[in-house]
Amino acid sequence: MWRFAVTLSRRCLLPARMSIRLIETEAPPPVSDSALTRPPLPLITSRDLRYKPRYAESRQAWLCNMDTVEEEKLGLIDLHPSVFAVMPRMDIIWHNYNWQKKYRFVDFKVEYTRAEMPGGGRKPWRQKGTGRARHGSIRSPIFLGGGKAHGKRGPITKFFMLPLSARVNGLINTLTCKYTQDDLVIVDSLEIPSDDPKFIEDLIEHRKWGVSVLFINDIDLMPRNITLATDKMESVTLMPYYGLNVYSMLKYDTLVLTLEALNKIEERLLFNLHRADIQQPKFMQAMINQSVPINSD
């Protein structure tokens, strides 16, 4: 691109002389299509917060973009204080972490009894006259290399069901910790302009999101570009909002939520937080058992 530059003579008494030069300038950077369709800044997103406490103030977070490597703040959004501003309790978070860690583990180890051990059919020595104790097989549990009397008989699981109130409070406490530690990011969408993994790597490095990132979308059908870009990246995971859990939030450094996913997460947590039967686990278990169809096929 070229532009004209006009210079005037320094001598004020003489007639003014004008000279015209052509100066080469840099072309402006291309503008993405999403930036053209984006509303003008600043964008203040107002949200209707249900069950808002009377004496608690709403928290605020920036709404950012995902279509450029450089972070662009699109506006401020309000966060519900009952979800992102509670007093963190490490015991509730630990109970949720321990519950998820145990139901993921299944012990398949099987230890043989003396009847299942190979060998040991004959009597090791005669019954009397040797001065030693009486034995009938070297595969007895008191022999080294023998069978096990009360060994493991897998598969064994230590699964137990955590109460609904503990699960709901575990998610709320973990979200509060993520927000307090500035590890919670709210974006408008997960649409990125390229499916190149280099783009998402540069974006994570430029915004200092840490080693691992967990992206939460409002639906389980993720955008095409970010799916292809993060397919081979082990430190980046895409997850729908209904799969959000305490174990994954603790595992990844940064939690990235879309605005729609934030609305649905808050809606479900507030519903379960204010339901009348949340403190009645026996009643909840009975309702779950009644809801299972008899003929599932």
Side-chain angles (χ1 to χ4, degrees):
M1 182 179 293
W2 300 85
R3 67 181 177 89
F4 293 99
V6 180
T7 60
L8 298 177
S9 176
R10 294 182 180 179
R11 299 180 181 181
C12 299
L13 300 178
L14 296 178
R17 295 180 300 175
M18 302 177 62
S19 62
I20 300 176
R21 294 180 299 162
L22 292 176
I23 301 176
E24 185 177 0
T25 59
E26 297 181 356
V31 182
S32 60
D33 297 337
S34 58
L36 293 175
T37 59
R38 188 179 300 153
L41 300 180
L43 173 64
I44 305 300
T45 305
S46 60
R47 303 171 62 242
D48 184 17
L49 303 180
R50 300 180 59 190
Y51 306 107
K52 185 178 178 181
R54 180 179 299 179
Y55 302 105
E57 296 183 357
S58 302
R59 299 303 188 264
Q60 289 185 334
W62 286 107
L63 180 66
C64 305
N65 67 321
M66 280 282 293
D67 54 356
T68 58
V69 175
E70 293 77 14
E71 184 176 10
E72 182 178 356
K73 293 180 172 60
L74 306 180
L76 284 172
I77 58 175
D78 295 330
L79 301 179
H80 203 287
S82 297
V83 178
F84 296 95
V86 299
M87 179 61 70
R89 289 186 53 182
M90 297 298 107
D91 58 332
I92 295 180
I93 297 178
W94 180 86
H95 281 305
N96 280 266
Y97 174 80
N98 185 51
W99 167 61
Q100 289 190 252
K101 187 176 66 174
K102 285 188 175 180
Y103 79 63
R104 291 166 181 260
F105 175 74
V106 178
D107 190 3
F108 291 95
K109 187 175 181 180
V110 177
E111 294 178 339
Y112 293 152
T113 62
R114 60 181 296 173
E116 297 171 340
M117 292 291 294
R122 69 179 183 88
K123 191 175 178 65
W125 49 79
R126 58 187 181 138
Q127 184 79 355
K128 296 182 178 181
T130 61
R132 290 181 289 185
R134 297 165 289 183
H135 293 288
S137 174
I138 60 174
R139 299 308 180 201
S140 174
I142 63 176
F143 276 87
L144 183 63
K148 194 75 173 179
H150 303 283
K152 296 181 179 180
R153 308 294 294 180
I156 299 175
T157 178
K158 295 183 179 180
F159 171 78
F160 65 96
M161 199 61 200
L162 203 64
L164 176 62
S165 59
R167 284 177 279 154
V168 172
N169 288 300
L171 291 172
I172 291 175
N173 281 268
T174 311
L175 286 172
T176 300
C177 292
K178 283 291 183 180
Y179 173 77
T180 306
Q181 296 172 352
D182 200 17
D183 291 332
L184 179 68
V185 180
I186 311 297
V187 297
D188 54 349
S189 66
L190 297 182
E191 293 287 348
I192 58 177
S194 174
D195 58 355
D196 187 10
K198 182 65 175 175
F199 177 85
I200 197 72
E201 291 176 358
D202 294 341
L203 186 143
I204 293 174
E205 181 179 0
H206 181 78
R207 301 190 185 186
K208 297 179 175 59
W209 282 355
V211 179
S212 55
V213 181
L214 177 62
F215 290 97
I216 305 297
N217 198 14
D218 58 329
I219 56 176
D220 50 7
L221 186 61
M222 303 295 171
R224 178 181 181 276
N225 287 343
I226 195 171
T227 303
L228 295 177
T230 60
D231 186 26
K232 299 298 180 61
M233 301 177 63
E234 298 182 356
S235 60
V236 177
T237 300
L238 305 176
M239 184 183 296
Y241 78 98
Y242 52 79
L244 186 65
N245 57 87
V246 174
Y247 189 92
S248 298
M249 284 191 285
L250 296 178
K251 179 180 179 181
Y252 293 89
D253 294 337
T254 304
L255 178 64
V256 180
L257 301 174
T258 62
L259 186 58
E260 293 296 330
L262 175 65
N263 293 332
K264 293 183 178 180
I265 289 172
E266 279 192 359
E267 180 183 358
R268 295 189 66 169
L269 287 178
L270 291 174
F271 169 76
N272 287 282
L273 191 63
H274 293 85
R275 61 189 301 173
D277 54 353
I278 191 170
Q279 301 295 340
Q280 303 176 11
K282 294 183 179 180
F283 173 73
M284 285 296 300
Q285 186 64 34
M287 293 295 294
I288 293 174
N289 293 337
Q290 292 175 4
S291 63
V292 178
I294 299 178
N295 298 323
S296 58
D297 53 349

